[in-house]
Amino acid sequence: MRNRAPALSVLSLAAVLAGATPALAQPTTAPLSVVVASGESRIKVAPDQAWATVSVETRDARGAEARRLGAAAMTSVMATLRKAGLDGDAIQTIGISLHPEYDYANGRQRIKGMVMSNQVQVRIDDISKVADVLDAVGGLTLPASSTLTVGSLRFDLKNRVGVQRDALRLAVEDAAARAKAMAAGAGMSVGRTVRIEEAGPEGQMKFAQEPFMMARGGAADAGMPTPIAPSDIEIRANVTLTVEIK
């Protein structure tokens, strides 16, 4: 008989806790009523910076001579670029190689000679000087063993990041106006912003990606400057806005 009392006590305690469970439960929060709107903005800005690629290929039967002639040709190119007003950090080597060139005859391959390739990327921070800089390089007289190519011209913005942020701000304003209009159509009003997401990478438009001028071992016509007509850069931004409505 003495062993029955503790069991009764445990059962009584369990009943008390079970009865108290509803009182301890947390009240559920009603889900928010929201509206999701997309916003877009496009900003067109005149470019204030240009980039171009200058390449030199030099051929010789001997690798050492091809390298020497190629180095001399690129030294002349870099000196011309600096005389045209470009700073040292505006000229960067982006590729250099020495490789064999082959001939094919009767189904057989033989080495014709060696080719030295040297490529630099040029940044022009004054759009009005683009034609002058490129014509100065294109007008160089190089040995017949060297081929000079000027191309891959493109335009850009020095403050691209700042314009991107302006586009994002305008896209958010557009999304907020759309959300407000949708809420008003339902007889409601907007409350706090719950979420903002950028819908994707901004778009961009650049001009003239293909080589536009070539010279092989001779001078270009210096009497007529190369016409340059850059188009505007378009920066786009897209966002998704989630706003509470009430």
Coordinates of all heavy atoms in Angstrom, one line a residue, residues 35 177-190 245-246:
V35 N 1.8 43.1 -51.5 CA 1.8 43.2 -53.0 C 3.2 43.2 -53.5 O 4.1 43.7 -52.9 CB 1.0 44.4 -53.5 CG1 1.8 45.7 -53.0 CG2 0.9 44.5 -55.0
A177 N 5.9 53.0 -57.0 CA 4.8 53.6 -57.6 C 3.8 52.5 -58.2 O 2.6 52.7 -58.1 CB 5.2 54.5 -58.8
R178 N 4.3 51.5 -58.7 CA 3.4 50.4 -59.2 C 2.7 49.7 -58.1 O 1.5 49.4 -58.2 CB 4.3 49.4 -60.0 CG 4.8 49.9 -61.3 CD 5.8 48.9 -61.9 NE 6.4 49.4 -63.2 CZ 5.9 49.1 -64.4 NH1 4.8 48.3 -64.5 NH2 6.5 49.5 -65.5
A179 N 3.4 49.5 -57.0 CA 2.8 48.8 -55.8 C 1.7 49.7 -55.3 O 0.6 49.2 -54.9 CB 3.9 48.6 -54.8
K180 N 2.0 51.0 -55.2 CA 0.9 51.9 -54.7 C -0.3 51.9 -55.6 O -1.4 51.9 -55.1 CB 1.5 53.3 -54.6 CG 0.6 54.3 -54.0 CD 1.3 55.7 -53.8 CE 0.4 56.7 -53.1 NZ 1.1 58.0 -53.0
A181 N -0.1 51.9 -56.9 CA -1.2 51.9 -57.8 C -2.0 50.6 -57.7 O -3.2 50.6 -57.8 CB -0.7 52.0 -59.3
M182 N -1.3 49.5 -57.5 CA -2.0 48.2 -57.4 C -2.8 48.1 -56.1 O -4.0 47.7 -56.1 CB -1.0 47.0 -57.5 CG -0.5 46.7 -58.9 SD 0.4 45.2 -59.0 CE 2.0 45.7 -58.1
A183 N -2.3 48.7 -55.0 CA -3.0 48.7 -53.8 C -4.2 49.6 -53.8 O -5.3 49.2 -53.4 CB -2.0 49.2 -52.6
A184 N -4.0 50.7 -54.5 CA -5.2 51.7 -54.6 C -6.3 51.0 -55.5 O -7.5 51.2 -55.2 CB -4.7 53.0 -55.3
G185 N -5.9 50.2 -56.5 CA -6.9 49.6 -57.3 C -7.7 48.6 -56.5 O -8.9 48.3 -56.8
A186 N -7.2 48.0 -55.4 CA -7.9 47.1 -54.5 C -8.5 47.8 -53.3 O -9.0 47.2 -52.4 CB -6.9 46.0 -54.0
G187 N -8.5 49.1 -53.3 CA -9.1 49.9 -52.2 C -8.3 49.8 -51.0 O -8.8 50.0 -49.9
M188 N -6.9 49.7 -51.1 CA -6.1 49.5 -50.0 C -4.9 50.6 -50.1 O -4.8 51.3 -51.1 CB -5.5 48.1 -49.8 CG -6.6 47.0 -49.8 SD -5.9 45.4 -49.7 CE -5.5 45.3 -47.9
S189 N -4.1 50.6 -49.1 CA -2.9 51.5 -49.1 C -1.7 50.7 -48.8 O -1.8 49.6 -48.1 CB -3.1 52.7 -48.1 OG -3.3 52.2 -46.8
V190 N -0.5 51.2 -49.2 CA 0.7 50.5 -48.9 C 1.2 50.9 -47.5 O 1.0 52.0 -47.0 CB 1.8 50.9 -50.0 CG1 1.3 50.4 -51.3 CG2 2.0 52.4 -50.0
I245 N 0.4 45.7 -47.5 CA -0.8 46.5 -47.9 C -1.8 46.4 -46.7 O -1.9 45.4 -46.0 CB -1.4 46.1 -49.2 CG1 -1.7 44.6 -49.2 CG2 -0.5 46.5 -50.4 CD1 -2.4 44.2 -50.5
K246 N -2.6 47.4 -46.5 CA -3.6 47.4 -45.4 C -4.8 48.2 -45.8 O -4.9 48.9 -46.8 CB -3.0 48.0 -44.2 CG -2.3 49.4 -44.4 CD -1.5 49.8 -43.2 CE -0.8 51.1 -43.5 NZ 0.0 51.6 -42.4

